Structure formats: structure tokens, C-alpha cells
Amino acid sequence: MRPWPGTPYPLGATYDGAGTNFALFSEVASSVELCLFAPDGSEHRVKLPEVDGFVWHGYLPGVLPGQHYGYRVTGPHDPENGQRCNPNKLLLDPYAKAVEGEIRWEQPVFGYPFGDPHQRDDSDSADHTPKAVVVNPFFDWANDRPPKIPYNESVIYEAHVRGLTMLHPAVPKELRGTYAGLAHPAVIEHLTKLGVTAIELMPVHQFLHDHGLQDRGLRNYWGYNTIAFFAPHAEYAAQTAQGAQVAEFKAMVRTMHEANIEVILDVVYNHTAEGNHLGPTLSMRGIDNEAYYRLVEDDQRYYMDYTGTGNSMNVRNPHTLQLIMDSLRYWVTEMRVDGFRFDLAATLAREFYDVDRLSAFFDIVQQDPVISQVKLIAEPWDVGPGGYQVGNFPPLWTEWNGKFRDTVRDFWRGEPATLGEFASRITGSSDLYQEDGRKPFASINFVTAHDGFTLNDLVSYNEKHNEANGEGNRDGADDNRSWNCGVEGPTDDDEILALRARQRRNMIATLMLSQGVPMLLHGDEMGRTQDGNNNGYCQDNELSWVDWSLAKENADLVEFTTAVTALRARHPVFRRRRFFQGRPIRSGDELRDIAWFTPSGQEMSDEDWGSGFGRCVVTFLNGEGIPDLDQRGERVTDDSFLLCFNAHHEDIDVTVPDGNYGAKWEVVLDTATGEVAPVERETYSGKSTMVLPSRSLIVLRRIGTED
């Protein structure tokens, strides 16, 4: 088979209807062989004939979708100087759009003999590694349109493709745990009922199951072990045809869009599954190790590790940066996703050692006409020095707000001196985002996420219980800011169960009625538990999967979550596009856009805010004080509300503000009873006293003002 010269761009394998162009970057290679595999596993090698700008390329007529392939790169092998080429190792295309096969964790996939990492191993790895697959890029998108939900109207649902659907009784068994299962009408119906506008999927890029986990009979459930940035994970496809995962993923996105739900991907561009200097040689390590990875400058045998996984991507190299940007564009333009959540995003900002918000990666994202137009969410920390960067990302970005999570947890478990920060967090964290021109929706608010306790476990356990992970309960965070309400784990004590239910409602209501973008962890709306395990990364089983029988068992919690999400959707005062100013938005107005009151009905003083014992506060949200304009340029107005928070262990008498604030109020939400928009609404007049039950939130809507 004689290749034509082909073209150096696009990189990867590109099928045009008659054949396939192959292109691979390697600055250190002296030659590159394309390896084509027949269905029986036999290998045919073709030398790529051309190299332009360090991109090796060739076109092969007649090579069709479904063709398995890989590369062998000849070049220097000098680990002490950061070079690890070895033509005996079959290498996965970094631009592979589909991947088939599993890794066999045996000697051939490692570049050194076991027991002697300073020597080179020349055993052939082709029978032990996954293969890239040529894909058909053509797909009928019909009338697909991206929903383009504004941030301030968004409700994000963090979910796992497999975990969300594996136990769903309405999803056919053959579709459970797959992209097709995720698009099943029963799942879509649940998301729509909840008021979800975006589903944020945990990693779906092709990843590997770690050797150490497999030895313990476990799997990499979360998927933060990427090996191919363009390929949807093959295990999540119901179809078994070669490359079928691509079309199945696209069909899932199309179905979500039809339901007006956006698809956001949790992406891992900070490291790969090749690990540290003792890891396998599977792809980039053998193609151009020094270009793709951050190496220790004075000993390039070793890798810089800002991720805790063994290596960090070298985003200072233009070709590595191009790989990431090409991947992002591909998922937007070809797979039509609506945004990304960047795992350990601070790593991408490390130009040298310090985190730099003006790094090349953020500069390029800013000017990119495709990527800059979708939702960009940072996990604003990594494990390196100075890695906690909440509030420090550029204006285009939104961030997982870890301070919101910590403060809301502390407030509701009754920690002292949290009142002032709690007020800041529920009003959009202006201290973090306002100074650089960002809006309240820069804050992605969450109380729970995949990493940590579920909401049910947050109110049921003081300590983590990770024994099932096989690490002696040493893994996972120790600072959970949780409270078990008096008993560790399951109980049949009715009082404790009632308190836990109230605490769950408190946190869901706080999340949904705070300024910013709420993110709900899958299953929290039905009381999902992981039995106290706060690090389920390796639990691909019933411990981590959503138990859908809980939706019936805890139907009241599902209905409460649905109702409070609907309350948010109906009232723009809970999802403002601009920060509160603490003053009237127009001259002549008598009421400020927000006001804070003590339980006695007096406006909060500095002394009140500074008291370390405060557990109760009343917030006035002025529906006439919204500075936003609608699409027609008209000023947005809404009802006005009082949010009455009591994190104290005793009931507190609250005096309802009077005068211009309102003459009459009605209860629209009560976490003590679990009622949202009750049929018979209790009403209060100004200066009247209301009993605010212990550890509860009551929301009042103004229904009358003084003449």
C-alpha cells in the first residue's frame, strides 16, 4: 500500500469519503510508521512519507471508517534528557476520534524492564494496547440547535453516564450505562421535571482503568484518567460496531437539545493516563515526551506533578496547546456540546511554577471564536503550590465556588462566625467576582459534587467511611464540614431522620435561591447515599450508581426540589444578572435592592454582623430593585421576598419588617414542613411575629404594601 503525500492538517485520521489522511506531530522523530490492523489482528506498517513543521503525514486511498490503527515512532531514547521514543511500542494517536480495546497491564506496555527503570524494554506492545479507529464524520443532526441557556437561567445537574442509568428500571437493560440510556425518555422526563437546563457529564473522553485498581478488583469509575482527548469513551456505547460510540454520543446530544437541555463535559486536559516515569508508554510519551509533558528541569527523567496523578501536560508547548484547543473545538463543532468544566484548571494556568491567570491557554481561549462562545467552568484549584485559585480566573470564565460549598455547610451545621460570609455567598460572592467585572453567575454554586459526600451522607456522617476503596480509609478528604445530626450513619430514630430531612431541604433551598448558578449532584434530589464513602472514584457498582427506587421512597424530597427549582425559574429576583448594590437602583426609590434584618426586625448593624454567635438572619430581596433589562430593553421587575434563615438549634421569634418593606406577606416555602407554594398559605403583616423553627428556612412573598 503506497501512501500519497496527504496534508499536515488536520491532525489525526480524517476520512473524506474515498480514503483517510493521517497526520501526527513529533518534533523528535526520525521516522513514523502508521500501523493498520486487520480484523484478525494482523498488522500492516506504512511509513508516512512527508513531514512538514514536525507533522508526519500521508493519505491512504480506500482506508475506510472502522479501520484500526496506531503509530510506531523511531527517535531518541534518552530518559535522563526527557526522550522516550521506542518503535517497539504501539502508540495511540493523540487525535484518535474513537478507541477500541483494553490495555493489558503486562511488561510490553512499559518502556523499561520490570525492576530496572534505567534500561529500555523492546518487547512489542501491539497486542496489549487499545487501538485508534477511523470514524465516519457524517451524521444527520436534523434540526438541532444549541439551547444557549443564559447562565443566570441555568440549573446544572452533575451526572455520570453509567451511574445515572445503570439502575433505572424504565431504561432497557441493554441501554443502561450508555449514551443511549442517558437519552432515554424516562431520564429526559426526570431532568425536565426537575427544571434542569444543563447536564454536566463526568469524564467521557476515552480513559483507562488503573493497574492498581484492577489488582484490587476495582475500576476507575470517575474516569479522570484520560488517554484520548477526542474519543468518547467506548464502554459507554450501547452499539458494538467499530466507532459507533461517536454517532451514539451525537444522538444523545441531539436528544438533550430537543428537550432544551445543554450538555457540558467535565474534561481532563491537565494530565494523561501515562502516569509518572514508571508509567506505561501508550501514546504521547513515546511520540514526543518532552513536548507533551512538564518535566523536572534539572532531571528530565521525572515529571512535574501538579495533579496528584503522576504527570502534568506541558501547555507551554504550542503543539500541546494546539492539541487541547483542537479537542475543545472538535467537541463544540462536531459533537455539538455546549460547554466544559475543566478539571484542576489551575494546572493549565501554570506557565512555569506559579498559577498565572494571563497564561497562554487563557489568552488563546479568550480570542477563539468557537470556544469563547460556550460555557467555560473552571475547577479553580490543583494540588501544586498556590493551587487554590477560587475567584482568580479571567472574566470569560465561571468557577466551581468551593467557598460557597464550605460556607453553606458550616452555616447549616451551626458553626460560629459564619453569618457574614454566608450572606456574601448566597448573594453571588461579589468579593470574589465583582472586582474584575464578572457577574453573579461567575459563581457555580454547589453544596455537594461527585468528589465528597452525597447530600444524604452530608447530614448522616461526621467521618468518611472509605474502607471499600482498599486504602485503609486513608483516601478522601478529612475536612467534610458535615454533621450526622446525632447518630453516625443509618438510624431508625424518627427525630434524627426528621432533622436530616429538614437539613437536606435547607441546603437544596439555599442552593436554588442563592445568586449564581446552582449545580445539583445526581441523585441528591432523591436522597442517594454512598454509605459514608466520600471518594467513590473506584466504586463502579451499586454504591455509586443512582438507586432509582429512592425516587419513590423519597418522593417528597423529589417534589420539594422540583418546586423550589420552579420557584427560582419563575422569579428573576433569585437569579439576577448583576450584583446587589445595597442601595436603590434609581433616585427617588425608597427601598434598596437588598436589606438585612435581625430577628427583631431591625436592620443589621456592624456589631450584629461581627457577633460570632449569630445563627439567624432575614434577607429582603427587592423585586422592584433589579437593574436587569429583558431582551426588549425593558426593565425586569418581580415580586419582593423575605428569606428567613435559622441555623440555631432552637426556634426563634422573627418580627416581620414593616413600613415600606411591606404590609402583608405570605409563606411560599417552609423547609420545616417541606411545603413550597402551599394551597393554604399562612400570611403575616408588618411588625407581626413569626415563629421560625429551629434549623429551617422560610420564604415570604410580599402581597401588599402600605398605602
Side-chain angles (χ1 to χ4, degrees):
M1 184 179 295
R2 179 175 298 177
W4 299 356
T7 60
Y9 190 85
L11 289 156
T14 306
Y15 173 69
D16 64 3
T20 303
N21 189 80
F22 295 89
L24 178 77
F25 158 76
S26 177
E27 187 171 350
V28 299
S30 56
S31 69
V32 173
E33 289 181 301
L34 170 68
C35 306
L36 304 176
F37 292 86
D40 63 2
S42 59
E43 177 182 352
H44 179 74
R45 303 184 186 182
V46 179
K47 276 197 171 185
L48 293 183
E50 301 287 333
V51 56
D52 293 295
F54 306 118
V55 175
W56 301 77
H57 56 92
Y59 179 89
L60 291 178
V63 171
L64 305 177
Q67 173 67 58
H68 287 203
Y69 73 98
Y71 290 106
R72 297 181 185 272
V73 174
T74 300
H77 184 271
D78 184 8
E80 283 77 7
N81 291 301
Q83 298 168 334
R84 295 177 178 265
C85 294
N86 185 342
N88 297 295
K89 308 302 177 184
L90 185 76
L91 304 175
L92 190 67
D93 183 0
Y95 280 74
K97 296 180 178 65
V99 176
E100 298 286 349
E102 300 289 336
I103 185 173
R104 290 165 53 194
W105 291 102
E106 298 172 359
Q107 176 64 74
V109 301
F110 294 89
Y112 60 91
F114 289 157
D116 190 356
H118 295 279
Q119 299 300 315
R120 170 172 146 166
D121 176 80
D122 285 335
S123 57
D124 195 289
S125 67
D127 291 338
H128 291 71
T129 62
K131 312 295 191 298
V133 183
V134 177
V135 303
N136 186 343
F138 307 109
F139 180 79
D140 182 8
W141 284 99
N143 296 319
D144 178 72
R145 294 289 185 275
K148 291 188 178 297
I149 308 293
Y151 267 120
N152 69 310
E153 297 177 13
S154 296
V155 174
I156 298 174
Y157 191 79
E158 190 194 22
H160 189 286
V161 171
R162 186 167 166 83
L164 184 61
T165 60
M166 280 298 291
L167 300 177
H168 200 304
V171 175
K173 287 185 178 181
E174 66 273 15
L175 299 184
R176 294 176 187 173
T178 70
Y179 306 119
L182 195 64
H184 189 274
V187 177
I188 298 292
E189 180 184 5
H190 181 76
L191 297 176
T192 302
K193 175 184 176 181
L194 281 180
V196 168
T197 69
I199 186 166
E200 183 178 300
L201 298 177
M202 291 179 66
V204 299
H205 289 174
Q206 186 72 32
F207 62 86
L208 299 182
H209 296 287
D210 313 54
H211 187 200
L213 290 179
Q214 290 189 342
D215 285 347
R216 302 204 303 268
L218 301 169
R219 289 159 53 87
N220 191 319
Y221 171 63
W222 283 356
Y224 292 97
N225 202 32
T226 306
I227 194 61
F229 294 138
F230 290 74
H233 191 61
E235 286 184 300
Y236 295 162
Q239 302 297 319
T240 58
Q242 303 301 324
Q245 60 266 42
V246 177
E248 188 174 322
F249 183 91
K250 290 178 177 179
M252 179 271 293
V253 173
R254 183 180 62 194
T255 301
M256 288 289 176
H257 286 179
E258 289 171 355
N260 208 36
I261 297 173
E262 295 181 314
V263 177
I264 298 172
L265 301 187
D266 190 341
V267 290
V268 189
Y269 292 113
N270 52 71
H271 73 280
T272 77
E274 290 189 290
N276 63 15
H277 64 289
L278 298 178
T281 298
L282 303 173
S283 181
M284 302 177 202
R285 170 172 283 145
I287 295 171
D288 197 327
N289 184 60
E290 190 175 9
Y292 282 115
Y293 295 116
R294 294 285 299 272
L295 306 179
V296 176
E297 290 187 2
D298 55 358
D299 192 349
Q300 294 189 317
R301 171 182 290 276
Y302 302 104
Y303 295 79
M304 298 296 294
D305 182 11
Y306 298 116
T307 64
T309 59
N311 64 56
S312 301
M313 292 291 287
N314 182 15
V315 292
R316 295 178 297 175
N317 184 284
H319 295 279
T320 304
L321 198 54
Q322 179 186 5
L323 169 70
I324 296 173
M325 299 303 293
D326 285 349
S327 169
L328 291 169
R329 275 189 225 100
Y330 174 80
W331 285 96
V332 175
T333 59
E334 295 297 321
M335 309 296 266
R336 299 202 180 183
V337 303
D338 305 283
F340 305 95
R341 178 265 189 188
F342 291 79
D343 175 67
L344 301 181
T347 299
L348 300 173
R350 289 185 182 272
E351 284 287 273
F352 293 94
Y353 297 102
D354 296 330
V355 177
D356 179 8
R357 64 179 297 183
L358 300 179
S359 68
F361 174 71
F362 295 115
D363 290 345
I364 292 176
V365 168
Q366 177 71 39
Q367 60 80 43
D368 190 279
V370 174
I371 303 169
S372 65
Q373 299 307 302
V374 300
K375 289 182 168 65
L376 301 173
I377 305 170
E379 181 187 35
W381 49 77
D382 65 16
V383 300
Y388 192 76
Q389 293 291 318
V390 172
N392 292 331
F393 276 68
L396 185 66
W397 290 69
T398 63
E399 301 175 14
W400 269 27
N401 190 347
K403 293 187 177 182
F404 179 95
R405 171 200 60 203
D406 296 344
T407 303
V408 170
R409 290 184 178 194
D410 278 348
F411 177 79
W412 282 116
R413 69 186 178 128
E415 284 296 293
T418 58
L419 203 56
E421 186 167 4
F422 178 74
S424 177
R425 299 297 155 243
I426 67 173
T427 54
S429 296
S430 60
D431 59 322
L432 300 177
Y433 305 115
Q434 187 172 23
E435 193 170 296
D436 59 10
R438 286 193 278 179
K439 305 292 179 62
F441 50 73
S443 177
I444 305 298
N445 298 330
F446 66 104
V447 179
T448 56
H450 69 272
D451 188 2
F453 282 141
T454 67
L455 182 60
N456 179 81
D457 292 357
L458 185 66
V459 301
S460 303
Y461 295 90
N462 284 349
E463 309 294 337
K464 65 185 181 183
H465 297 270
N466 297 354
E467 289 79 9
N469 295 352
E471 300 182 42
N473 205 34
R474 294 184 299 273
D475 62 304
D478 294 310
D479 180 21
N480 294 289
R481 301 173 191 247
S482 60
W483 179 46
N484 63 19
C485 298
V487 173
E488 187 75 356
T491 181
D492 56 5
D493 186 306
D494 289 339
E495 288 189 11
I496 291 177
L497 291 173
L499 176 56
R500 288 177 177 177
R502 184 181 300 187
Q503 289 287 74
R504 289 196 298 263
R505 293 192 294 266
N506 285 336
M507 294 193 199
I508 288 175
T510 302
L511 174 67
M512 291 300 168
L513 302 182
S514 293
Q515 305 299 320
V517 181
M519 185 185 78
L520 186 70
L521 173 63
H522 72 185
D524 273 355
E525 74 279 8
M526 60 184 82
R528 183 174 75 90
T529 179
Q530 291 181 171
D531 297 338
N533 191 318
N534 74 349
N535 190 32
Y537 77 102
C538 58
Q539 298 298 328
D540 188 5
N541 50 50
E542 288 85 353
L543 185 70
S544 293
W545 301 341
V546 174
D547 179 1
W548 285 87
S549 69
L550 293 173
K552 184 175 182 180
E553 181 180 329
N554 296 319
D556 55 341
L557 181 59
V558 176
E559 293 305 319
F560 178 85
T561 306
T562 299
V564 74
T565 304
L567 180 66
R568 175 188 178 87
R570 288 195 304 271
H571 294 286
V573 74
F574 297 122
R575 44 182 176 80
R576 290 163 49 108
R577 294 178 55 247
R578 291 173 174 80
F579 286 107
F580 293 104
Q581 298 299 312
R583 58 177 183 264
I585 66 167
R586 297 177 301 184
S587 61
D589 286 352
E590 296 183 358
L591 297 180
R592 292 167 301 190
D593 54 2
I594 188 171
W596 302 87
F597 298 91
T598 66
S600 64
Q602 302 300 310
E603 290 205 41
M604 292 280 288
S605 66
D606 291 342
E607 184 178 351
D608 294 324
W609 285 117
S611 69
F613 55 81
R615 301 285 193 281
C616 180
V617 68
V618 175
T619 311
F620 170 73
L621 303 183
N622 185 357
E624 297 292 328
I626 303 174
D628 302 341
L629 302 178
D630 62 21
Q631 294 300 318
R632 294 170 295 182
E634 298 179 1
R635 188 165 149 260
V636 174
T637 61
D638 193 10
D639 296 327
S640 295
F641 291 86
L642 287 177
L643 278 62
C644 308
F645 299 91
N646 180 17
H648 194 45
H649 64 272
E650 295 180 348
D651 296 353
I652 292 179
D653 289 339
V654 169
T655 299
V656 178
D658 64 343
N660 293 326
Y661 291 104
K664 196 171 185 181
W665 302 82
E666 66 176 2
V667 175
V668 295
L669 180 147
D670 185 347
T671 62
T673 63
E675 291 185 302
V676 181
V679 176
E680 295 184 8
R681 303 191 182 190
E682 196 166 359
T683 60
Y684 295 91
S685 58
K687 288 188 178 180
S688 63
T689 300
M690 173 183 69
V691 177
L692 185 55
S694 64
R695 296 192 173 96
S696 70
L697 163 61
I698 289 181
V699 178
L700 306 176
R701 184 176 70 92
R702 187 170 65 185
I703 56 176
T705 58
E706 289 190 346
D707 295 333

